[in-house]
Structure formats: structure tokens, C-alpha cells
Amino acid sequence: MLEVKGISFGFSRHPVLRGISFSLAGGQILSVIGESGSGKSTLLKALYGLYDLDGGTIRWKEKKILGPAYNLVPGEPYIKYLAQDFDLMPYISVRENIGKHLSNFYPGEKARRISELLDIVELSEHAGKKPGELSGGQQQRVALARAMAQEPELLLLDEPFSHIDSFRTSALRRNLFSFIRKKGITCIIASHDSVDALSFADKTLVMKNGEIIREDSPQKIYSDPDSYYTASLFGEVNEIPVSQIFPELGTEKNIFIYAHELHPDEASPLKIRVKASYFEGSHYLIRGLHQGKTLFFSNPNSIPAERIIAVRPDIRIVKERLNTKNGI
Ligand code: ADP
Ligand code: MG
């Protein structure tokens, strides 16, 4: 339903998007991940029609999305775009901000929809306040609710949880995506946080330097990352020669192993000199050195610096990875 073909765009000749193509079926949720500066925000703005492209086309249901040179008021009514910096109306209440673009023709229906959205973003008790009386995270939740209020056909969310405290994010994320699914809204979410990509997206694009370097299901990308860049978007990762952990497998290949997959194992030939332990709540992330190279693994407890620890992953994970792109 959304068809993006070879779009390119740059600010004063500096190319930011280079030949981006993908398509998305109606009702699907797509996540776009990539390091800061890789072009995620620029892509979303281009999809919303805020830029005149240097090349390529964007179509939503056969209709071409055009830039400001062809559109007096940039942006399309059936698309909602939630910018990284949300702009709320300061002099009206939370309730009025959310309902701002809703018709007053059916006041009962309008009130019902606003209260459903207030529930979803958990702001019912703040409905009468003005944005200035809210924290940054609460303001971002108002902006989210406002973007969803008209039930757009296509919803573009740029880092929608960036200002929201993590203890609230998971419930909010569940509410939000179940609303989006229920309403059949097609959604693209740009995020540097891979959790947003993993749990809710049907499909994920990995962006690097203005290009799509991977397009797959989030599960597939996580369990079968084909580059260090992609793997590292999901947390600390190690690139390890298989011969250093399971020489009996007789391969010269390297594999990517996430820190939480690497554990102390006395039988392992891979010995690490511990440098630091970082408390991460449910476990410690341990940083150590092996032949001058930094490696990360997780452990239930901290480990004193300079201690030598033998580590390796479960052999099942190694065999699995060797059968995929990951074996490099
Ligand atoms: P991301 O959202 O992935 O962090 P952006 O799309 O914001 O990346 O930025 C991609 C690149 O485009 C960056 O190098 C950034 O400096 C550049 N860029 C973004 N907006 C502008 C702008 N208005 N003018 C010039 N360069 C810009
Ligand atoms: Mg951005």
C-alpha cells in the first residue's frame, strides 16, 4: 500500500537518503532502526511530503506523495506525523490539544474518543492541565494521543518514547500498538531503541548512512545479524572466531554473540581478563580483554578486576548462527 521507489534526498548537495526502496502492506507496523544521523528522521519527513526529493517516488494507495514545491500546505490529511520535537498548543488543555483536529459535529463521539486516548497514554487525571504544567514525557504522550486522534491511514512516529521514563514506556508501548492494530492503522516508527523494533514491528529496516542495509522481520535480524553494525543496535555484541570457543567444530568462521549469550564456562579455551563490572538490574555486564580485544558478557554477580574467566556461549547458539548469514 505504501510504495517507496529509489528515493534520494540531500541538504545542499550533502546526500542524506540514497536510493531508498521498500513497500509496506496496509495495517502493517514497520520499524526503522539505525545509529543517530543515519537518516531515520529525514526518511519519515520525506514520506510525509516535507521535502522535494532529488529522485524516486513515494506512493500511498496509488497516490503520489509530493513535496512542498507541489503542495501549498505540505503534508497529507490521511497521514499523521509525530515529530521528534512535538509542538503542543500552550494555552489550551491536554483534552483540547488531543481533540484539536476532531470535528465538533458529534460532541459525544468526540468526548468518547478523547477519553479513550487519554486512557491509552495514561493521562486521564491530567486532562484539564495545560502543556506547560506537564513534564517533557507527559507532553510527548499528549502529542502521541493527538497524532492518533483522527485515526490516520498512515502514522509516522519519530522516536515516540524518547522523553518518556522507561518504567512507563512498556505499558504505553503495549497500549499504543494494540490501538494501532485494532484500528488497522499502517504505522512506521523510527527509533534508536531496538526494543521498539523487536516487540511490535512486522518488519524492520536497518539504516546506515542514508541507505537500507537490511530489511527483514525483527526476530530474524536479531537472531541473524549480518554485520557488527546491525548486531550492535541490539546491545553489546562480540565478534568471536568459533575456533577460540569450540575448536572441535573445525571452522575458521567468526560469529556474533550478544553479551547475554556469553557465560562463564570453565571448559572454554577463551580466557578473558576482567576489567569492569556494570550493574544492569537483573545482572552485571562484565567488560574484559582477550588478546587486546574488548569482550562483553553477562553474569549474575560482579567480578573483581584482573580476574581471569573462561567464557563461551551455548554450543547450540553457535551451531545455529553458523547456519545463517551470521557465520562470516
Ligand atoms: P537520524 O534521525 O537517523 O538521527 P537524521 O535524518 O536526523 O538522522 O539526519 C541524517 C543526516 O542529515 C545527518 O547527517 C544530519 O546532520 C543531516 N541533517 C538532518 N537535518 C538537516 C538539515 N535540516 N539541514 C542539514 N542537514 C541535516
Ligand atoms: Mg532522528
Side-chain angles (χ1 to χ4, degrees), residues 11 14 16 35-42:
F11 298 99
H14 169 70
V16 174
E35 66 184 356
S36 169
S38 56
K40 306 179 296 294
S41 295
T42 307

Side-chain angles (χ1 to χ4, degrees), residues 29 90 99 102 106 167 181 199 217 222 224 230 261 287 314:
I29 298 175
L102 293 179
Y106 303 100
F167 111 93
R181 292 250 185 239
S199 9
S217 73
Y222 176 80
D224 182 13
T230 298
E261 296 170 329
R287 176 170 60 82
D314 195 299

Side-chain angles (χ1 to χ4, degrees), residues 40-41 84 158-159:
K40 306 179 296 294
S41 295
Q84 219 165 330
D158 196 352
E159 309 275 0

Side-chain angles (χ1 to χ4, degrees), residues 55-251:
T57 54
I58 303 167
R59 281 200 166 76
W60 173 253
K61 293 182 175 170
E62 307 300 316
K63 192 177 175 296
K64 229 171 152 174
I65 295 179
L66 299 168
Y70 304 90
N71 244 347
L72 200 57
V73 183
E76 301 286 345
Y78 49 89
I79 307 181
K80 274 280 169 241
Y81 162 67
L82 179 65
Q84 219 165 330
D85 42 0
F86 30 91
D87 61 322
L88 299 173
M89 305 286 292
Y91 303 115
I92 59 175
S93 70
V94 166
R95 183 183 288 113
E96 289 161 329
N97 262 288
I98 294 175
K100 187 163 165 274
H101 302 294
L102 293 179
S103 155
N104 286 317
F105 208 71
Y106 303 100
E109 166 64 17
K110 178 171 175 173
R112 194 198 56 73
R113 193 172 297 178
I114 292 174
S115 91
E116 179 187 16
L117 290 162
L118 280 166
D119 265 358
I120 288 178
V121 298
E122 300 179 335
L123 282 176
S124 304
E125 64 205 81
H126 301 288
K129 291 188 181 165
K130 306 231 160 51
E133 302 169 68
L134 303 177
S135 71
Q138 289 171 327
Q139 292 184 19
Q140 189 167 34
R141 276 143 60 199
V142 177
L144 257 174
R146 189 185 54 185
M148 292 187 295
Q150 284 174 299
E151 297 178 13
E153 293 178 24
L154 177 60
L155 179 62
L156 307 172
L157 302 175
D158 196 352
E159 309 275 0
F161 310 116
S162 55
H163 295 261
I164 299 168
D165 19 314
S166 51
F167 111 93
R168 232 174 232 293
T169 312
S170 27
L172 178 64
R173 212 190 272 129
R174 277 196 300 274
N175 292 345
L176 177 74
F177 287 113
S178 91
F179 178 86
I180 289 172
R181 292 250 185 239
K182 190 174 79 187
K183 303 292 183 184
I185 296 171
T186 309
C187 178
I188 304 183
I189 167 172
S191 179
H192 67 281
D193 183 349
S194 59
V195 179
D196 299 336
L198 284 178
S199 9
F200 298 100
D202 299 298
K203 186 159 87 166
T204 295
L205 303 179
V206 179
M207 282 191 77
K208 184 182 180 186
N209 204 4
E211 288 179 315
I212 296 175
I213 59 163
R214 184 80 187 269
E215 173 177 354
D216 222 324
S217 73
Q219 295 80 2
K220 198 92 198 332
I221 297 178
Y222 176 80
S223 61
D224 182 13
D226 53 2
S227 68
Y228 182 81
Y229 174 87
T230 298
S232 62
L233 295 172
F234 298 103
E236 296 300 346
V237 71
N238 309 291
E239 185 174 346
I240 302 177
V242 175
S243 57
Q244 285 182 359
I245 41 179
F246 293 104
E248 63 270 32
L249 293 177
T251 170

Side-chain angles (χ1 to χ4, degrees), residues 282-303:
S282 61
H283 62 275
Y284 283 81
L285 179 70
I286 316 288
R287 176 170 60 82
L289 281 177
H290 171 76
Q291 295 175 353
K293 204 177 132 193
T294 299
L295 290 175
F296 291 96
F297 66 99
S298 61
N299 200 52
N301 310 104
S302 67
I303 301 177

